[in-house]
Amino acid sequence: MAEVVLFHHVLGQTDGFLAFAAELRADGHTVHTPDLFDGATFESIDEGVAFAKNAGFGAIAERGVRSVEGLPNELVYAGFSMGVMAAQQLAQLRPGARGALLFEACIPTSEWGSWPANVPVQIHGMDSDEFFAGDGDIDAARALIEEASATARAELFIYPGDGHLFADSSSSSYDSEAAALLTQRALDFLRSIG
């Protein structure tokens, strides 16, 4: 089975985020869930963004990078929304990455060079999500998939809807049907490399 580092979104380690991690564990995977907010959780994206801006998005991503010190290199890096910053950076820069799961966000690979050869990736987002589709992440995702597919399994799944954090069962944007599909696809991905 795979060993995964799963980074939370801007609402913090919500009950829904922790439930998703528990589903991965129930499938036999080892899942680390670093808390980048030191226990803080938020009811709205605006509150979480204000907290993250105050702390500094770069500083939060750096916490994520430091959180894997002492763990083996052979990890799958996963993140929801804001957590994609650390997950994608580690997948691109830390030697030995086994794969990446990027949920509801994607950053141009040029931010950290290029996508590493032979590192599989799966990206998920909604087609009308103001952050994923509206902020250009969907274009970065398409480019990453094209780049990665030359040497590895690379999949982009677009779901109908406008919910951000749609896979978090404690979020007001939760979409049970899309979340179930995302979870099944992520589990299939992990099984294929575990």
Side-chain angles (χ1 to χ4, degrees):
M1 290 289 126
E3 187 166 0
V4 182
V5 180
L6 178 65
F7 295 102
H8 63 79
H9 46 61
V10 77
L11 300 183
Q13 290 198 341
T14 60
D15 291 342
F17 168 81
L18 295 173
F20 181 83
E23 286 194 65
L24 302 186
R25 288 184 186 109
D27 199 54
H29 307 288
T30 300
V31 183
H32 306 275
T33 54
D35 188 348
L36 307 181
F37 282 4
D38 296 324
T41 57
F42 302 95
E43 293 295 319
S44 74
I45 290 174
D46 288 343
E47 291 173 321
V49 167
F51 177 86
K53 279 185 180 177
N54 187 52
F57 283 105
I60 290 170
E62 185 55 34
R63 277 187 201 170
V65 170
R66 286 194 317 267
S67 73
V68 302
E69 291 174 4
L71 293 177
N73 285 350
E74 297 76 23
L75 298 168
V76 175
Y77 300 103
F80 283 97
S81 189
M82 179 202 71
V84 165
M85 287 189 303
Q88 189 174 333
Q89 181 178 353
L90 286 162
Q92 285 191 235
L93 296 180
R94 193 168 190 244
R98 301 279 316 279
L101 289 165
L102 310 179
F103 304 118
E104 303 174 288
C106 186
I107 298 160
T109 57
S110 59
E111 183 73 21
W112 299 289
S114 60
W115 192 256
N118 304 312
V119 176
V121 59
Q122 198 177 78
I123 305 171
H124 302 258
M126 284 197 155
D127 62 2
S128 297
D129 172 359
E130 67 176 300
F131 301 103
F132 184 73
D135 285 348
D137 292 43
I138 194 169
D139 298 322
R142 289 181 176 126
L144 191 158
I145 293 301
E146 184 175 342
E147 183 180 347
S149 65
T151 62
R153 175 182 178 181
E155 300 169 304
L156 173 60
F157 296 107
I158 305 296
Y159 305 81
D162 62 1
H164 193 65
L165 310 182
F166 70 90
D168 182 329
S169 59
S170 59
S171 164
S172 62
S173 298
Y174 179 62
D175 181 319
S176 60
E177 187 176 321
L181 193 50
L182 176 149
T183 302
Q184 188 56 56
R185 287 167 168 166
L187 289 172
D188 290 346
F189 178 86
L190 292 174
R191 290 175 193 142
S192 75
I193 57 180

